[in-house]
Amino acid sequence: MFVDTAKVFINAGKGGDGAVSFRHEIYVEKGGPDGGDGGKGGDVVFVVDSGLNTLIDFRYKPELKAKPGGNGAKRDRHGPAGESLYVKVPIGTVVKKGGEIIADMTEVGQEFVIAKGGDGGFGNAHFKSSVRQTPRMAEKGEDGEIFEANLELKLLADIGLVGFPNAGKSTFLSVVSNARPEIADYAFTTLTPNLGVAVVDDTSMLVADIPGLIEGASEGKGLGDAFLRHVERTAVLLHLVDAYSDDVAASYQTIRSELSKYNPELVKRPEIIAITKVDGLDEDIVQMQIDAVKTVAGKTPVFAISAVAHKGLTEVLRALRKEVIESRKIIEEIDDGEEEIETVSLSTAKLAESWSVEKVETDDGIRFIVTGDKVEKFARRTDFSNFEGVNRLRDILKKLGVGHELRRQGAEGSSILRIGKSEFPFLEQ
Ligand SMILES: Nc1nc2c(ncn2[C@@H]2O[C@H](COP(=O)(O)OP(=O)(O)OP(=O)(O)O)[C@@H](O)[C@H]2O)c(=O)[nH]1
Ligand SMILES: [Mg+2]
């Protein structure tokens, strides 16, 4: 069964670091701080492009990386923003992160920021205050969002009707479903795919009537290969072969060879063959045509139908249903394989503010581990090699009430705190 999926590594740009610098003025030995801010890192943005119809390219190039922001510089110069990466995806692409859908790309031209670039750090020009005339610290830029995402291409329909022009595809759709496509006695009546829902034994199946294909379609003959891409997005194929065709076996084979030239995967899809328009034909002739197709059909089941006389339709629909249910099972298995994400009831803003402290015994002694979105964010932006920077983080912990809790749990000035990957003493030593 065909399920188009790809795993990609998404890496938005890191924000640039802020600069530490002081103005140099004539007659002034040390001017005020003038270190500029780092630029924002580039985002990773998905854009729906009508020219694409598979995720195959992502299998070869799974890393999607945007550019980092530039660092700040002296004389209040801010770093330039990193260039965002725009990635073209086919319509119907669903993006999942940890099993959860984060984007559903349903319209041509639609854009979605999949991963945000990190904010740039503030330069020291920001940290000037009445008590701190010469701030010798700047923030580091934040990392851009980095994660693994699963892409899935949604199918256009459960069943795709394929065959030569005039084979009776639209007529079939109009009889088995609620759709009312245009039907006429000439080739290429259908110019865009029609969709309809067919119901058999309580199962609804979405059927796509695809414009007629001819020999050379894969190279652009007839209506060309534009419609082969719709075939790519159907799970099960129903080949309709006109019973009045001189060579039914060749008709079926021509279509398969065009499908295969366009995408070799297409001939591996589950398929059913139906010889159409048998209402006006003698039974021997119908049987002869069935036998002729069977010589080349391999294991593919062959039916004879008349859409006009409503003959053989339920049988074909039941055979299709079997294949459709099978293909849906495979999709479900893929979905079930992904871990469930816990739902949280706190609002995201509240959640970001919240923090917790845990005292743990490690090989290196006692550690007070502080967790929480906001504190971790500040810690990531802190340059731990700079004591002023670390002091600012200590101020923030105090303001958030973390200091109080640390003391309650027995932390002393020399106790080591751990936030994210960084460790530092509770109070300046
Ligand atoms: N006798 C008979 N004629 C049929 C049957 N099904 C379709 N036809 C006729 O065949 C012709 C073509 O039918 P369509 O359904 O438009 O064929 P199509 O495959 O959609 O053709 P394109 O859209 O051009 O690819 C029409 O004149 C239909 O009336 C059938 O079961 N019996
Ligand atoms: Mg048609």
Side-chain angles (χ1 to χ4, degrees), residues 97-217:
K97 177 180 170 184
E100 198 187 12
I101 294 177
I102 58 167
D104 192 356
M105 313 293 293
T106 53
E107 280 164 51
V108 172
Q110 184 187 349
E111 287 192 7
F112 195 93
V113 178
I114 296 293
K116 283 209 183 77
D119 282 335
F122 286 143
N124 69 338
H126 264 271
F127 298 111
K128 189 181 162 155
S129 66
S130 52
V131 290
R132 197 156 51 185
Q133 296 287 338
T134 53
R136 258 173 265 276
M137 54 154 292
E139 283 182 329
K140 291 197 300 176
E142 275 193 85
D143 281 335
E145 287 184 88
I146 300 179
F147 56 92
E148 204 174 272
N150 288 298
L151 310 186
E152 281 175 28
L153 190 56
K154 269 196 288 199
L155 293 179
L156 173 73
D158 297 306
I159 300 163
L161 306 182
V162 292
F164 281 140
N166 231 19
K169 300 180 292 298
S170 301
T171 309
F172 177 83
L173 181 73
S174 72
V175 174
V176 302
S177 80
N178 52 343
R180 292 291 164 261
E182 197 183 336
I183 292 166
D185 191 14
Y186 51 80
F188 303 123
T189 308
T190 304
L191 296 173
T192 52
N194 299 301
L195 294 177
V197 178
V199 183
V200 66
D201 301 336
D202 290 334
T203 302
S204 305
M205 306 181 288
L206 190 58
V207 186
D209 163 28
I210 292 159
L213 304 170
I214 60 167
E215 184 164 4

